[in-house]
Amino acid sequence: MRYRQFSTRAGRGVHGDQFKDAVRGVGLDRSDRLYVVGDSEAAVLDGDGRLLRRWPTGGPGYCIAVDINGNVYVGETCRIEVFDGMGRLLRTHRDAGRLGTVTAIGFAGEDLLAADATHRCIRRYDRDGRFVNNIGDRNNTKGFLIPNGHLDFCLDANGIIYAANAGKYRIERYTSAGELLSHFGRFGTRNPEDFPGCCNPTNVALTAAGRVVVTEKAPARAKVYDAAGTMLCLIGPDAFDQSCRNMDVAVDSRGRIYVVDTARLLVRVFESQDGPAAATSASSPASGGVRP
Amino acid sequence: MNGEPTRRDVLGHAARGAGLLAVGGTAAWLSLRAGKAGAWTIDWTKCVNSRLGATGVPACEKCASTCVLPLSAVRAVNDHSRCGRCCICPAYFDVTSDLGPDGLPTQKLCPRDAIRRTPIGEVDPSDPLNNFYEYLIDEVKCNGCGRCVMGCKEPAGLGSIRLEVRYNLCLDCNRCSIAQACPDDAYLRKPAT
């Protein structure tokens, strides 16, 4: 399985689809429109990279996600701003004293999940915004080990959470109740399948076929694993500026991989050289990895 | 009245002499101090060991090898407010060495074993990655070679370790041998404030 860079989106500059200082997060809706958050703004781009709309956020956004109704969630410091598809602010979710910097957002049924990088766990809230439980804090380190100060996760179709526990060099799978199901990955600098540095992988996404896409820093690169944790493909490191860190990643319905180049404020789009069918064909069941 | 100096004259001359001596001494001390104003310091943004963007190169060890002291006046200092307390600290371990059965690198990076790694809190003996660790630098052993600084540099690490001049050790040479050898002009004389 091989990927090549198909195109880029956004970039550093002052044009409508560009950002001045930072691009931090990407997300996709059901129509594969690309949502980008950076500086203190959110932007929506169509499949060809054309700017559809753009609006300011209340503060610097660290992540962006779109629910099945098309509402846009932007994770910020101690709050989540919820906009409609046109960029109108619908509400602001706060949880004073509990919710810290939100670096990833996901949806499990009607529940809202937020990665709290300040307190190193994933917060689960019900549809009314009431806190339900934490995920990932029942361990000896009292939370995810994230020296890089960034926590990312994604969910599969069954609501299983895939979290990047960077300081433990693992992708961990949890139920929404917080039970650790399994994990894969280990430290190593020689085999590209392993995770190097102080803390990798930093970000994670899933393909529709259940493959796990991760990004790393030092070296900045992306990798694709099957559900059992066997590496299928390495993207980079020559594809990225090597000063990149915490590169957010998303995958569209055709299996294209969108990776934030945090140094050049780009979103790099990669597609399978083996065609969309190879990128979306089913992977092995998500039961692999090490069970705790 | 005769020409003999009185007791008052003698005392007056003595007082004026002492005053002149004090003023002269102070002036001399100030002029010496002015000639050596400030202190030697390291500019982290210039030093290749800590400068962002300089990756994939070996650590510069000029601070350790060129100081006139038997053990350099430069030390590595860990800013604990920035340290990630990582399981596998790239400043502590030689991350390119073979892995042991516990999944940890088998070699340390520091050639003088000057970094101490201590688990924080309750230890999970079954999983070495399920713990926090504190990293303390033993300044009696450290010679300021900078390898740990290079290992900790972002983006591989967090950049919490830097080289600093220890002023209680520095001889404050006028022509500092480290400054002359530094390839990045990062060893500078900082003016007195």
Side-chain angles (χ1 to χ4, degrees):
Chain A
M1 187 173 208
R2 292 171 300 166
Y3 279 83
R4 70 176 180 88
Q5 184 169 306
F6 165 70
S7 66
T8 61
R9 308 279 190 258
R12 187 189 300 273
V14 295
H15 295 296
D17 60 340
Q18 294 179 322
F19 292 84
K20 292 176 191 166
D21 301 316
V23 172
R24 302 185 194 90
V26 287
L28 293 153
D29 66 11
R30 299 171 87 183
S31 304
D32 286 343
R33 284 185 289 254
L34 180 68
Y35 293 70
V36 187
V37 68
D39 298 338
S40 288
E41 291 187 289
V44 189
L45 310 177
D46 69 11
D48 296 319
R50 284 187 291 266
L51 180 72
L52 297 176
R53 66 192 68 88
R54 180 176 185 133
W55 65 86
T57 56
Y62 297 99
C63 59
I64 191 165
V66 187
D67 70 9
I68 55 171
N69 300 314
N71 293 329
V72 182
Y73 293 66
V74 176
E76 301 170 17
T77 300
C78 300
R79 68 183 178 192
I80 298 169
E81 287 190 311
V82 186
F83 301 89
D84 69 11
M86 299 308 292
R88 290 183 289 255
L89 182 66
L90 299 176
R91 62 184 181 276
T92 301
H93 174 86
R94 289 187 176 89
D95 186 3
R98 183 178 281 127
L99 188 63
T101 299
V102 179
T103 54
I105 293 170
F107 309 98
E110 294 189 331
D111 290 345
L112 169 68
L113 302 176
D116 183 339
T118 305
H119 302 99
R120 301 185 292 112
C121 65
I122 298 169
R123 310 287 196 186
R124 179 183 173 200
Y125 297 93
D126 67 14
R127 61 179 297 174
D128 298 317
R130 285 189 294 261
F131 174 73
V132 179
N133 61 272
N134 289 330
I135 297 147
D137 64 346
R138 285 181 243 153
N139 50 40
N140 195 44
T141 52
K142 309 282 191 296
F144 293 97
L145 202 50
I146 45 169
N148 52 326
H150 184 89
L151 177 60
D152 194 26
F153 74 92
C154 60
L155 294 108
D156 70 9
N158 300 314
I160 302 298
I161 298 159
Y162 289 62
N165 202 344
K168 295 184 182 177
Y169 306 93
R170 294 169 184 163
I171 294 295
E172 295 179 335
R173 294 187 186 92
Y174 290 89
T175 66
S176 56
E179 181 191 358
L180 177 61
L181 298 173
S182 64
H183 59 80
F184 74 82
R186 63 171 198 168
F187 172 81
T189 57
R190 296 177 184 170
N191 185 348
E193 187 162 323
D194 298 334
F195 298 120
C198 72
C199 30
N200 274 312
T202 60
N203 293 72
V204 60
L206 282 172
T207 71
R211 295 196 176 104
V212 184
V213 183
V214 303
T215 60
E216 300 173 8
K217 65 186 181 75
R221 60 188 182 183
K223 297 189 288 194
V224 183
Y225 292 83
D226 69 12
T230 303
M231 192 179 80
L232 304 173
C233 176
L234 170 68
I235 305 170
D238 53 335
F240 302 100
D241 187 307
Q242 286 306 301
S243 58
C244 287
R245 45 182 287 188
N246 304 334
M247 302 187 296
D248 199 14
V249 59
V251 185
D252 72 11
S253 61
R254 289 180 292 181
R256 285 178 178 165
I257 298 171
Y258 298 73
V259 182
V260 172
D261 186 321
T262 57
R264 301 187 183 176
L265 315 191
L266 287 170
V267 179
R268 299 187 183 275
V269 189
F270 300 90
E271 66 174 6
S272 171
Q273 287 187 280
D274 307 318
T280 55
S281 60
S283 178
S284 52
S287 57
V290 179
R291 291 174 186 280
Chain B
M1 229 180 128
N2 57 26
E4 293 292 315
T6 64
R7 179 185 174 84
R8 179 173 292 180
D9 291 336
V10 171
L11 285 174
H13 286 310
R16 277 192 290 275
L20 281 171
L21 267 175
V23 170
T26 303
W29 179 76
L30 283 174
S31 69
L32 275 174
R33 185 178 166 82
K36 292 182 68 172
W40 291 106
T41 189
I42 297 172
D43 185 337
W44 302 317
T45 63
K46 288 184 174 180
C47 171
V48 71
N49 294 328
S50 50
R51 188 178 69 224
L52 292 179
T55 56
V57 294
C60 167
E61 301 188 17
K62 296 289 186 190
C63 288
S65 62
T66 58
C67 182
V68 295
L69 289 167
L71 189 66
S72 173
V74 175
R75 296 288 186 275
V77 178
N78 190 12
D79 179 353
H80 291 273
S81 68
R82 296 183 66 193
C83 178
R85 294 156 184 81
C86 306
C87 294
I88 302 180
C89 169
Y92 176 81
F93 288 108
D94 177 356
V95 294
T96 61
S97 63
D98 292 336
L99 299 182
D102 55 2
L104 303 179
T106 51
Q107 303 292 319
K108 295 176 184 174
L109 187 64
C110 180
R112 299 172 62 86
D113 196 18
I115 305 179
R116 194 166 70 243
R117 178 178 186 258
T118 312
I120 300 171
E122 194 175 332
V123 176
D124 181 350
S126 63
D127 185 356
L129 294 182
N130 201 17
N131 303 295
F132 283 113
Y133 293 89
E134 183 181 50
Y135 295 91
L136 291 172
I137 297 173
D138 183 348
E139 295 206 6
V140 175
K141 291 181 178 178
C142 177
N143 69 346
C145 74
R147 292 189 198 182
C148 60
V149 180
M150 183 65 92
C152 181
K153 183 160 62 174
E154 291 185 284
L158 298 179
S160 68
I161 306 181
R162 287 174 174 173
L163 291 177
E164 287 190 4
V165 182
R166 285 303 189 212
Y167 298 114
N168 58 325
L169 303 173
C170 179
L171 298 179
D172 206 18
C173 306
N174 279 327
R175 288 171 57 82
C176 170
S177 56
I178 302 177
Q180 292 181 63
C182 178
D184 298 301
D185 292 329
Y187 208 91
L188 306 167
R189 192 153 191 93
K190 186 180 176 184
T193 54

